[in-house]
Amino acid sequence: MLDTKDFSFFENQNSFDFKGFLIKVASYWKWFVASLILTFFIAYQVNIRKEKIYGMEASIVVKDENNPFFTSNTSLVFNWGGTSDKVQTIMNMLKSRTHNEYVVDRLNYYIDYLRLGKYNYQDAYGEVPFYVEIDESKGQLANIPIKIHFLNATEFELSVSSEDTTVKNYIYETNEVEPVSLQSNEIKKRYRIGDKIELPYFNGVILLNPKGGKNFSEDFYIRFKSFDATVSHFKSINVETDTKAPSIIRIALQGTNKSRLVDYLNATVEVLKKRQLDSKNQFANNTISFIDSTLIAMEGELKKTEDELKDFRKDKNILELEAGGVKLSEKLSTLDLEKDAVTRKIAYYNSLRNYLVSSTDFSKLPAPTVAGIDDPNVIGNVSKLIQLSAERSEMAYAVKNKKMFDEFDKEMEAYKKVLLENINSAKQALQYDLALINQKIGSAESEIKQMPQDKQELLKITRKYDLKDNIFNTFMQKRSEADIVKAANVSDIAFIDTAKDVGGGLLGPKTSVNYILALLFGIFVPLLIVFALTLLDNTIHNSDDIEKLTKIPIIGVVGKKNTENNLSVFEKPKSPLAESFRAIRSSLQYMYKKQKADGTKILMLTSSVGGEGKTFCSINMATVFALSEKKTVIVGLDLRKPRIFGDFNIENNIGAVNYLIGQKTLNEVIQATHIPYLDVITSGPIPPNPSELILGESMKEMIEELKEQYDFIVLDTPPVGLVADALELATYCDAILYVTRQNFTKKGMLSIVNEKHKRGELHNISIVLNGFENRAKYGYGYGYGYGYGYGYGAYGSGYLEEEKPKSRFDKLKSKFGKK
C-alpha cells in the first residue's frame, strides 16, 4: 500500500500538498467516473459517425526499354536521361496537376455517386445501377445533391431540395462557375432511362450501368464537385520508391470507397504509360510530320519533272540521244545527290540555330537524322533539350519552386550553348564539302556543253528528274523507318501489381485508439482539475498542516456537527463527536494540574475569523464540563455578533452588556438552561463601544463574581484575527483554545496567532481543529482515533459505543430527563 510518508521529501521542498492531492483524488472519485462516462460516450459517437477509411496501392517498375530497330541512322527515340532520371520524372508527373487533370477528366471523378447513410452521405461509387453522361458545355448544380428515386427499372424521379433559390452551376468545359435561379426550393421531375435532361441545374443523360447491380429500391444521389478541388484532392496521392529497388515505384491512395480508389490508381498508371510513350515517340512524330509535309511538296515537283521528260521524248530518237552520255549522267546524278545531302544538313543547322535563338519550347524539334545528320553529339544534345523542355512543362503545374525552374533554365541554356558550338563547327566542314562538290559539278557541266543541244537538254531534264526521284525515295525510306521505330517503341513503365480489392485494406477509424484516448482524457482531465484545486487551495486540511505552520500544540480534533443545533454533546452523548470534546476536557484537566491551578477554571475560545465554529465549540466544551457535575457558565462576549442564546431557547434581551454598563446585577443576567449544571450569560444588546466595555473595571468585577459561583467559566470571544477584544480577555484565562476549521481556515491566518503568542499576548494557548472529516477513513473518521490530540481522554480511543462504561451523565439524564 502507498504510504504518504514516501512523499514527505516533496512536501518539504515546496508548498504543494501531495498528501492533500491524493486525498482529493480519492474524494472526487465521482468526478472521474462521470468524466470517463462522458469521454467514452464521445468516443463511441465519433466511432459510429466516422466513415471507414481504406487504403489501396499499386506498384510499377521503370526500366530502359531499348527499341530493337534502333540504329545510328534511326535515332528517333526520346531519351529520358537514364533510369534514375526517369523515376524522378515519373514521380513528379504522378503528383502533378496536369497529370491528375487527365485522370480526373477520364474517370469523371468530379461526379459523386452517393447514398444517404444514418449520419451522413456515403460514397456509393461502383454500386449504383446507373451512370451519368453530362453535357460539359452546360451548367451542372454545384455541391448540392440531386436525388435519383427509381419508380421502376426504366423510370426515375429526379429531385432537388435547396435552402436558397439562387445556386451555382459548374461548366466543366470552360471550368467556370455561373449563378442560376431555381423556381422553388424543392423541384421534382420524372424521366425515363436514356432521356435527354435539360434543366437549369442539370444537363445530361442517365443510363443504366450493367456493372452497378440491380438495386432500384434504394434512393441514390449525384453531386457535382469543383474540378480543381477534385484534382487537388487526388494530388495528395502517395508516391514513393522502394528502398531496396529504386526503379520500383509504389503508389497508394486513401479514401472511403475501395472501388473508386482501385479505378483511380489503375487509371493514373495507364494515363502515365500513354503520356510517357507519346513523349518517347516525340522524335518519330516530329520526323513523320516533317517528312509528310516535305513529300507532299516534292510529289508535285516530281510529277511536273516527269511530265516535262515525257514531253521532251516525244518525236525524238531517245536511244540515239542517250548514247555516249550515260556515264556522265550517272556521275552528275551522284554529285547532285551529294550536294543535296550537304545542302539539307546546312539547311537543318540553320533552321535549328534560328529555333534555338528565338524559341523556348523545344518539344517540336524534328530528329537530326531527317536531314541525314548522324553526329552523336548533335543527336544527344537535341534529345536532351526535348527532354528538359517536356519536364519543365510538366513541372509548371506541379512545382511552385522558382529556384528549381532557374536550375532547369540554366541546364537548358548550357545545352543550347554546346549545340550552337556544334552547329558552327559542323557547318564549316559542310561548307568545305559543298565547295568541293560544286567544283566537281562544274567540271562535269563543262563536258556537257560540248555535246549537241538535244543531248544537253535531255541530260538537264533527266538530271533534275533523277535528283527529285532519289530525294523522294530517300524521304520515303526515312518515313518507313520512323513508322517502324514508332511501332516498335514500348513504354518504360510496367505494372508489377495493379490495384485490386482483395478484401481488407481498412485503415480507420481506429476505434481502439479513440477509446484509449477517451480513457486518458477521462482520467487526466479531472486529475488536472484536482491538481489545480489543490495548488490553489490555501486552507488547512489536517493536523499536519497546522504542525507545519505553528509550534502551538494541538489539543484536539473535532469532527463535523451531527445535529441540527449546536448541542451535539447533549443530543448525542455517545457519539464520537462527544468523545472528542471529552478528550479535550481531559487534556485541559491535565494542563490545569500541570499548572497547579486551583479554584475556578476560566477557558477562553477564539478563532481567526467568523464561521470557524468557535461558538459551537464553546457550547459543547461547557456541556462536557456540566455533564461532569461541575457548575459551568458560558459568557457570550462576542458583543458585535451575539450567537449564544438560540440553541438554548432563551432570549438575548439582557446579558453581559447590561451588567457591564451597570443596568443589571450578575444574577439578573444569568440564565439557566435545560442542561443540568449549565448556565448562560448572553451578550445582550449590541453596544456602540464593545471594546471599551471589555476594557473597563466592570469586566474584572464580573469575572470575580463568577468565580465565586462556578467551577468552570467558558468565555466565547470575538475572532482574534478581526478585533482585539479577545486579547484583553486573555489576562483572565487559565487556558485558551484557538479554533480552526478544516477546509475553511486559511493557512496565513495562523501567522497572526503565532505573532501574538510570540509576543506573550496569548498564553497557555492550544489549537482545536474543528469540522474534521478524514477522507482517508482512518479510525472513525476523526483523525487519530477519535481525534484526541494528546490522548488524555476519559475512555481512550479504543472503546466502541456499546462497550463504554456508563457515565454520570446517564445517571443525570435518568434523574432529570431530557428537555
Side-chain angles (χ1 to χ4, degrees), residues 799-813:
Y799 287 91
L800 298 174
E801 285 188 26
E802 49 269 52
E803 295 175 341
K804 293 172 188 174
K806 198 168 184 180
S807 65
R808 281 175 289 179
F809 167 76
D810 296 321
K811 300 175 183 178
L812 292 170
K813 189 175 180 182

Side-chain angles (χ1 to χ4, degrees), residues 664-706:
K664 300 289 183 180
T665 63
L666 185 62
N667 290 331
E668 289 176 330
V669 297
I670 295 175
Q671 302 186 60
T673 69
H674 61 280
I675 299 176
Y677 298 103
L678 180 61
D679 295 334
V680 174
I681 299 176
T682 63
S683 300
I686 300 175
N689 56 343
S691 296
E692 286 75 7
L693 290 179
I694 291 175
L695 287 171
E697 285 294 323
S698 55
M699 173 59 72
K700 183 178 181 181
E701 294 173 359
M702 184 175 72
I703 295 296
E704 292 299 328
E705 289 186 46
L706 289 173

Side-chain angles (χ1 to χ4, degrees), residues 458-617:
L458 178 60
L459 284 173
K460 181 181 178 182
I461 296 172
T462 304
R463 177 186 174 189
K464 183 168 59 173
Y465 176 79
D466 289 342
L467 176 62
K468 293 187 180 297
D469 185 54
N470 286 327
I471 294 173
F472 187 84
N473 290 333
T474 301
F475 273 98
M476 285 297 293
Q477 181 184 355
K478 291 188 177 294
R479 174 70 162 78
S480 298
E481 291 174 354
D483 283 334
I484 292 171
V485 169
K486 180 179 178 181
N489 274 339
V490 293
S491 176
D492 291 338
I493 301 170
F495 269 114
I496 295 177
D497 280 326
T498 58
K500 186 178 181 181
D501 179 14
V502 292
L506 182 64
L507 300 179
K510 301 291 187 181
T511 55
S512 58
V513 172
N514 288 340
Y515 286 127
I516 290 172
L517 291 175
L519 178 64
L520 294 176
F521 275 101
I523 292 175
F524 282 104
V525 169
L527 202 64
L528 288 174
I529 295 174
V530 172
F531 179 82
L533 291 175
T534 306
L535 200 63
L536 298 174
D537 189 1
N538 193 34
T539 59
I540 291 172
H541 300 290
N542 48 49
S543 57
D544 290 343
D545 290 343
I546 298 174
E547 290 173 357
K548 292 175 186 177
L549 296 170
T550 181
K551 293 182 179 180
I552 299 173
I554 301 173
I555 197 170
V557 178
V558 177
K560 283 192 172 183
K561 185 173 68 173
N562 52 12
T563 55
E564 293 183 2
N565 56 32
N566 287 327
L567 304 177
S568 298
V569 171
F570 185 73
E571 295 287 341
K572 295 183 178 181
K574 296 182 179 180
S575 67
L577 181 64
E579 292 298 333
S580 64
F581 280 106
R582 290 191 183 99
I584 296 173
R585 179 193 63 187
S586 299
S587 297
L588 288 172
Q589 289 173 347
Y590 176 80
M591 185 185 299
Y592 295 146
K593 289 179 181 178
K594 191 175 181 180
Q595 294 173 358
K596 297 181 180 180
D598 297 325
T600 302
K601 312 299 188 298
I602 302 176
L603 176 65
M604 184 180 83
L605 287 91
T606 186
S607 64
S608 302
V609 293
E612 290 173 310
K614 170 179 54 64
T615 299
F616 168 74
C617 291

